[in-house]
Amino acid sequence: MRYPIFSISHWKCAALWWGGVVSLAFVSLTLVADAIANDPEYAREAQQLTRGAYLTRVGNCMGCHTAKGGQPFTGGRRLSTSFGIFVTPNITPDKETGIGLWSEEDFWQALHQGKSRDGRLLYPAFPYTEYTKVTRHDANAMFAYLQSLPPVSQSNPPNDIFFPYNFRPLLAVWRALYFKAGTYEPDQSQSEAWNRGAYLVQGLGHCNACHTTRNRFGASQDDALTGGQIMGMNWYAPSLSSKSEASSGEWTIEEITALLTTGINQRAVASGPMATVIRQSLQYLSSEDAHAMAVYLKSLSGNEGGHKLGIRFPVMTGSLLKHLDRGGQLYEQYCQTCHGADGKGTPGIYPALAGNRSVMMNSPVNIIRSVLNGGYPATTAGNPRPYGMPPFQQILRNEEVALVVSYIRNSWGNRGSLVTAVDVDLAR
Ligand code: HEC
Ligand code: HEC
Ligand code: HEC
């Protein structure tokens, strides 16, 4: 039987014809695409959107403006603080529930001045106290990017703030005392990389939102990154300038960039809220920006701050040694398989506890939290499947946690104050 229309030669013919049509269409599409790409206006806009997307990562806007399991930038995330709960707003370009009606100028006013479109003063739970240093150029790029997102209609519940802080106009007083709109002033005596790093750390990276001591009105004491307890979280953000806390003055640039972008290096691992910052934001830093931040952070040394006053290292008496001995037995039983008998861990997998500054830091709250809650280092492109630590809160009593933590603070050459069951109870 023959089907003439499907004969080989017909097939060839049809294939050639369609091939011609397809390649013609392709050529004309490519021409159109080329014309668009060569249009300088289009190229400028595309570049601005890419920059804006990158900058919102560095500022971690999505981290706060997205609820667990929610759509990106639609807000609804609850932030607990000592003033109550803040609920982040929707910043997608929806006209009713988001910022769809905002202009570039409105957005600038929010970032730079902490004022909403309708003139309402914004709470500093939105870190405009740091973002105020972002340039207009960068703010415009972020605005363009946010406006290019699909609008999502989502109204979020109001903030739930305690009296009298729930009275927004009081913010005028707060601002008069603690806020000054600013710009980043480059330091001419420093390199370009240093200035870029300082601009990112002090401004968009808002590191000082956590790494500072706050007064009872929630105002940061300075912007020197000298460390402090994070408001509303049982975590201590160490000083980034003190040698006994988290200054990177003695680290190499590579060690600093590794910590910032992968969450782990040979000397330290980022845990808790810092692991979140790295997972959501810092791992996306370009290599130039990571380098610049590292150059700046490395220069922040020599500030011993006020946190070290009053540490009392234990004097090793007989009864104390017995006490640490019990901690050592617990360590052998529960911790040694991962962290090693010598406390050296396994590079890149299990952090070393020997020589680890987080372990010896005056404030023991973070390591108590690590032992109680366990945890995972940040999941990043550079460390895609991190090994975790199991929680011990169900397994060890407060006294036992105190013993094992005191032990790791005073073994393998480590030196740190003893931890009591009361400290553990406070950290729970
Ligand atoms: C630490 C959490 C946090 C981060 C990070 C954050 N925001 Fe916000 N943002 C908030 C909170 C909370 C508010 C609401 C403050 C209030 O109710 O006064 C807010 C308010 C805003 C507003 C005002 C919206 C309105 O309707 O008035 C804009 C615009 C905004 N943020 C944009 C951004 C951008 C852009 C970034 C990243 C560069 C960002 N936010 C990062 C917490 C955050
Ligand atoms: C949401 C709060 C928060 C923000 C924002 C934040 N940090 Fe941290 N950071 C912490 C906490 C908590 C720790 C202590 C836990 C730990 O050691 O990982 C920490 C630890 C660190 C460490 C020491 C890590 C170690 O184990 O030695 C460095 C370095 C650091 N942060 C740098 C930064 C930089 C740079 C920024 C800004 C780009 C920043 N942090 C922003 C909370 C924060
Ligand atoms: C299964 C392996 C494993 C076991 C068992 C384990 N850990 Fe860990 N530990 C880890 C990993 C992985 C991390 C990094 C996780 C993180 O940073 O959140 C870690 C982190 C820590 C940290 C934080 C170090 C830092 O630089 O911030 C401390 C302190 C710690 N462990 C102590 C202990 C103690 C004490 C025990 C026993 C009671 C223990 N660990 C048992 C794997 C383990």
Side-chain angles (χ1 to χ4, degrees), residues 217-251:
F217 302 110
S220 162
Q221 299 306 283
D222 54 37
D223 54 8
L225 299 161
T226 49
Q229 193 71 30
I230 304 181
M231 214 186 6
M233 275 189 207
N234 225 332
W235 281 92
Y236 176 80
S239 164
L240 299 183
S241 59
S242 149
K243 275 194 196 153
S244 53
E245 296 199 351
S247 137
S248 33
E250 283 162 14
W251 292 10

Side-chain angles (χ1 to χ4, degrees), residues 205-207 210-211 230 235-238 240 246 251 259-260 268-271 273-274 277 282 293 297 358 366:
H206 67 282
C207 314
C210 293
H211 287 273
I230 304 181
W235 281 92
Y236 176 80
L240 299 183
W251 292 10
L259 183 78
L260 294 180
V269 60
S271 318
M274 191 62 211
V277 169
L282 301 181
M293 262 196 198
L297 291 173
S358 306
N366 295 353

Side-chain angles (χ1 to χ4, degrees), residues 65-67 69-75 92 150 152 154:
H65 286 275
T66 308
Q71 293 202 59
F73 299 106
T74 54
T92 72
V152 181
Q154 175 176 312

